[in-house]
Amino acid sequence: MAVTKFLLLLVVLAFSLSPNSSVGAEKVSLNLYYETLCPYCSRFVVNYLGKMFSNGLIDIVDLRLIPYGNAWIGSNNTISCQHGSYECFLNTVEACVIDVWPNVGDHFSFIYCIESLVVDHKYSDWESCFTKAASGFQRVAECYNTGYGKKLELQYAAETNALQPPHKYVPWVVVDGQPLYEDYQNVANYVCKAYKGSLPPACRSAALVTTVNHQKQVTYAGEEAAIAFPSELEGHWKLDKNGKDIANRPTGL
């Protein structure tokens, strides 16, 4: 009997020490609905989501990235994007990256790289982001070239268009099912308030202060691009038999 009680105590103790054992301590859901060439979206990815990975806040967050934004579906399921065909292309590339590397830590580093280039107006150098993940280049290219990437984008379109309340602009940030509207820059505060478990140091940091920005930091559908983007692209993103890129000027969808 004493042995049984001792074993039972060990089981209870082990369960209580498990990081996922406390009721309601699930990770906070954080969804970002965005488009790759939206300047406010890219800044949010780089300056806010990127910080979550460096300060450890990502440990309590279930982050999903949905690269579609203010795009729209035309006849025959053609996809048009607010910032032109290059944005459609990069949306699809990022969708393929998410599919090829489903772990958020893996695909976010690539997306962070692309969006950093967008911030610096060097988005045409996006292929340089494969430097640290060259093994996945061919898989991502195949995803795009076979049309599977477009299938992913159509799925993202359906999810974005089904949002309740409907999304009004991008970036559209949703925490535990609730949109943050134009207060999205305070996402860290919302995450910390929503988490039911023991708060990480990042939530107790003096740096976690409320951001007040009175300037418009969103892009509505139909707005003209804030920076110039190529209107048309020629060629296709194709690989030769050795897996090397033979034309890096992709078409839109």
Side-chain angles (χ1 to χ4, degrees), residues 40-214:
Y40 306 120
C41 299
S42 56
R43 291 174 200 160
F44 179 71
V45 169
V46 173
N47 298 327
Y48 293 88
L49 295 187
K51 187 177 294 185
M52 288 187 177
F53 284 83
S54 62
N55 65 17
L57 199 61
I58 192 63
D59 291 340
I60 65 171
V61 171
D62 180 14
L63 174 63
R64 287 188 66 239
L65 304 174
I66 301 91
Y68 177 78
N70 293 332
W72 62 95
I73 308 296
S75 60
N76 299 319
N77 279 337
T78 57
I79 301 176
S80 299
C81 296
Q82 186 161 15
H83 301 98
S85 54
Y86 216 122
E87 180 168 74
C88 278
F89 170 71
L90 288 180
N91 284 352
T92 308
V93 168
E94 292 194 5
C96 285
V97 166
I98 293 170
D99 185 75
V100 169
W101 295 300
N103 181 281
V104 67
D106 295 332
H107 64 245
F108 182 80
S109 61
F110 183 93
I111 291 173
Y112 177 93
C113 179
I114 288 185
E115 299 309 320
S116 295
L117 292 173
V118 176
V119 171
D120 294 334
H121 299 252
K122 298 178 180 179
Y123 59 90
S124 60
D125 294 333
W126 65 272
E127 282 184 286
S128 65
C129 295
F130 278 105
T131 301
K132 296 182 179 179
S135 62
F137 180 89
Q138 186 166 359
R139 293 173 61 196
V140 174
E142 288 174 351
C143 171
Y144 178 85
N145 288 327
T146 61
Y148 185 67
K150 180 175 180 179
K151 179 180 179 181
L152 294 174
E153 276 297 287
L154 290 173
Q155 291 173 356
Y156 284 150
E159 178 180 347
T160 302
N161 293 334
L163 283 169
Q164 292 297 330
H167 96 285
K168 299 179 178 180
Y169 39 71
V170 289
W172 190 256
V173 182
V174 180
V175 173
D176 275 356
Q178 299 300 315
L180 304 188
Y181 297 99
E182 294 192 43
D183 199 30
Y184 68 86
Q185 291 175 322
N186 290 312
V187 60
N189 286 300
Y190 286 97
V191 166
C192 292
K193 290 178 182 178
Y195 188 59
K196 305 303 180 183
S198 178
L199 293 177
C203 288
R204 301 189 294 270
S205 171
L208 195 64
V209 296
T210 300
T211 299
V212 178
N213 196 323
H214 298 291

